[in-house]
Amino acid sequence: MGNGLDTYIYRIGDRNYINLTNKCTNDCEFCVRRTEKGVAGYELWMEKEPSAQDIIDLLEKDKTDVVFCGYGEPTIKIDELKEIAAYVKNYGGHTRINTNGHASVYHGRDIAKELVGLIDEVSISLNEADAKKYERVVHSRYGEDGFRYMLNFARDCVKYGIKTTLSVVDVISPEDIETCRRIAEDIGADFRVRHYIA
Ligand code: SF4
């Protein structure tokens, strides 16, 4: 669903995935934006990014649980994200963000705090076991500091009582997966190993 040209909402299972922006603070080696036009059969590059009202108008016809996810970093459009999340919470839907965890450093303020009551769940890509390896894979605009900023955001989400999951893909070594598991435990976040799909 979109404006006729762009896909603003795409359906996977029983949830609507919301495509807010194509911009990102990372340039991950594995990002599907490098090789694909979209996911799950949807083209997700946009000519014009949606306003909050564009998305709300679409959700009005299909009031489901939602995931703010790709084709870019959704928290870059934080004002729109919060307005849409408030609308979804108002009709009793569940809200999740799939994020690289750079929201607070990008906006220069504590974004995790602003998500309380609006976002039920945050899934953060941990990717790697330390800052050097992380940077090698994600090519963050913040360099190796991107790793620390991401973990700080995860800590803040946990602190504010938002269900928080750190995730890795099973392309890294078993040793690094265990290190990542410990990092998540130390923070008090859940941990998820996702299976790599070529
Ligand atoms: S953080 Fe996500 S959207 Fe951004 S480059 Fe990496 S995989 Fe792509």
Side-chain angles (χ1 to χ4, degrees):
M1 289 186 282
N3 61 357
L5 298 170
D6 302 312
T7 304
Y8 293 159
I9 293 185
Y10 53 108
R11 177 66 82 107
I12 299 180
D14 57 359
R15 291 178 181 215
N16 275 321
Y17 282 62
I18 299 174
N19 185 24
L20 280 183
T21 182
N22 291 149
K23 299 185 190 78
C24 190
T25 51
N26 285 350
D27 183 19
C28 301
E29 295 277 334
F30 53 80
C31 183
V32 287
R33 297 182 311 158
R34 286 184 169 222
T35 53
E36 309 293 332
K37 289 183 183 164
V39 293
Y42 295 96
E43 287 204 13
L44 297 177
W45 285 114
M46 294 181 281
E47 291 287 327
K48 179 179 168 290
E49 296 185 347
S51 65
Q53 196 57 49
D54 288 334
I55 301 287
I56 289 169
D57 288 347
L58 294 168
L59 288 175
E60 204 177 359
K61 300 172 208 139
D62 189 22
K63 292 181 175 170
T64 62
D65 297 338
V66 303
V67 182
F68 296 92
C69 175
Y71 217 45
E73 169 51 42
T75 62
I76 283 180
K77 300 280 289 286
I78 194 65
D79 293 339
E80 291 82 354
L81 186 153
K82 283 164 55 183
E83 191 177 336
I84 297 160
Y87 176 79
V88 174
K89 292 316 300 170
N90 206 35
Y91 68 66
H94 182 275
T95 52
R96 188 177 90 209
I97 306 176
N98 291 356
T99 177
N100 64 17
H102 289 162
S104 293
V105 64
Y106 180 82
H107 293 287
R109 61 183 202 267
D110 183 357
I111 295 295
K113 192 175 188 178
E114 298 178 19
L115 300 179
V116 175
L118 297 176
I119 296 299
D120 297 305
E121 193 175 347
V122 174
S123 177
I124 303 169
S125 302
L126 174 58
N127 287 308
E128 278 287 0
D130 63 46
K132 275 199 167 46
K133 288 180 180 171
Y134 177 84
E135 173 51 16
R136 243 181 266 143
V137 171
V138 309
H139 310 294
S140 169
R141 72 161 62 171
Y142 308 112
E144 290 180 16
D145 286 340
F147 188 73
R148 177 167 56 86
Y149 292 138
M150 173 268 299
L151 289 179
N152 287 345
F153 180 74
R155 252 184 230 105
D156 286 341
C157 289
V158 170
K159 180 174 80 185
Y160 295 125
I162 300 169
K163 179 175 165 52
T164 306
T165 301
L166 291 181
S167 72
V168 298
V169 180
D170 61 359
V171 292
I172 62 175
S173 70
E175 294 76 21
D176 282 345
I177 288 178
E178 281 318 299
T179 303
C180 290
R181 190 186 305 281
R182 281 197 297 277
I183 290 171
E185 273 172 15
D186 284 350
I187 285 176
D190 295 336
F191 182 63
R192 182 164 166 245
V193 181
R194 291 181 290 126
H195 181 55
Y196 176 73
I197 302 165

